[in-house]
Amino acid sequence: MYHRITVGSLVGAVALSTLMIPATAQADDSSGDIRITAVVVNGGKDIVLGTTDVKTFTIAVTATDDSGIKVGDTFPVLWHTRFPNGETYGLVIPEDIAGRCASQDSTTTTCTYTLKMNPRIDPQDNTTAGTWTVRAHVLANDGDYLTKDSAAKAKVLRNSRLTVNAAPEPVKKNKTITVTGALTRANWETYKYAGYTKQPVKLQFKKKGTSTYQTLKTVATDSKGNLKTTTKATADGYFRYAFAGTSTTPAVASAADYVDVQ
């Protein structure tokens, strides 16, 4: 597997190697009273990948120890699956393992790391969509240390797209209109968008002059991700489709399609 990494020092490289030991031996390891108090991935938001654009995000690790935290030896990696032979399937490493560190006081420091995910390299394939794990290592000035195998969880999702078209327009009041659309999502194996099949999608309407969408009905995508349903045209307004998302795919709403009712 290919991974981008800029190792700032030999010490950092050695420390990183201790974090990526074989799966059979990996477990929480600690000495002393050092603690990890917070790990925040991507500012608390899901990491959403399409088919081409590289996603840049951060992992912030906050640790505390009575002697203070040693800067340059605190770092995370983001991983998805470990096999019994020690191989990691889905692995992202900070570009600079030194990070950017800021001390809150004499005992507590937050180090923030920049990472990048390339949808054509890092997810490996579609099976890694969903929950990933942060493994974090921290070191104190007095030699206390903590390596936490599951310091935090993060979602890495396949980007979704949703379209809508209401026709005919304009239309006579109380006549039937047909609302079509399509729900697609990124495929990390073909690097194209493909239909997301058999998914519930809400048809919503916002009357002209109001600010809130009302759900009219729920429609399921077909075997190609397409949507089609009918409804009555009762007033001027905007139609859209809205998808709530799944464990592997983010929520998305289509752009609005305005219908003039005469």
Side-chain angles (χ1 to χ4, degrees):
M1 295 180 291
Y2 168 74
H3 303 288
R4 301 165 305 280
I5 179 169
T6 301
V7 179
S9 67
L10 179 60
V11 173
V14 172
L16 186 61
S17 69
T18 67
L19 189 61
M20 297 166 57
I21 55 180
T24 53
Q26 284 184 343
D28 291 354
D29 185 21
S30 65
S31 175
D33 57 0
I34 189 172
R35 292 182 296 117
I36 294 174
T37 58
V39 177
V40 180
V41 181
N42 197 34
K45 299 178 181 179
D46 295 338
I47 300 167
V48 179
L49 294 179
T51 59
T52 57
D53 292 345
V54 175
K55 174 70 175 182
T56 300
F57 63 98
T58 60
I59 298 179
V61 180
T62 302
T64 186
D65 184 84
D66 55 7
S67 69
I69 302 302
K70 187 174 181 181
V71 174
D73 288 283
T74 299
F75 47 85
V77 297
L78 183 66
W79 59 274
H80 184 269
T81 305
R82 280 201 309 267
F83 298 124
N85 65 359
E87 289 291 325
T88 302
Y89 198 63
L91 176 68
V92 185
I93 300 167
E95 294 210 313
D96 180 359
I97 62 173
R100 303 184 309 278
C101 299
S103 297
Q104 280 74 62
D105 51 42
S106 61
T107 63
T108 304
T109 297
T110 298
C111 291
T112 302
Y113 307 85
T114 299
L115 300 88
K116 291 184 178 181
M117 293 193 78
N118 185 330
R120 301 193 174 206
I121 297 174
D122 298 303
Q124 308 286 271
D125 59 36
N126 293 327
T127 65
T128 62
T131 302
W132 288 52
T133 301
V134 176
R135 181 174 171 87
H137 172 79
V138 293
L139 180 66
N141 289 324
D142 63 2
D144 291 354
Y145 65 87
L146 170 62
T147 301
K148 197 168 182 61
D149 191 46
S150 182
K153 300 291 185 180
K155 288 291 185 71
V156 179
L157 305 179
R158 297 165 62 181
N159 189 45
S160 54
R161 295 174 175 174
L162 187 56
T163 62
V164 68
N165 182 61
E169 47 186 311
V171 64
K172 295 292 185 181
K173 187 174 183 178
N174 293 323
K175 291 295 184 179
T176 298
I177 61 171
T178 300
V179 187
T180 57
L183 175 64
T184 59
R185 62 175 177 166
N187 187 315
W188 296 334
E189 297 167 17
T190 64
Y191 312 125
K192 298 178 181 180
Y193 278 79
Y196 198 5
T197 66
K198 309 303 180 184
Q199 296 300 311
V201 180
K202 293 179 180 180
L203 174 64
Q204 299 181 327
F205 177 73
K206 182 176 69 172
K207 187 176 180 180
K208 182 181 178 180
T210 66
S211 58
T212 305
Y213 278 94
Q214 304 294 328
T215 297
L216 303 179
K217 62 174 71 175
T218 299
V219 185
T221 58
D222 67 14
S223 60
K224 295 184 179 180
N226 295 319
L227 293 156
K228 185 176 182 180
T229 190
T230 58
T231 189
K232 295 292 184 179
T234 59
D236 292 350
Y238 304 85
F239 287 92
R240 75 175 185 183
Y241 279 119
F243 174 59
T246 63
S247 61
T248 61
T249 308
V252 64
S254 70
D257 188 14
Y258 180 77
V259 173
D260 179 17
V261 177
Q262 299 178 343

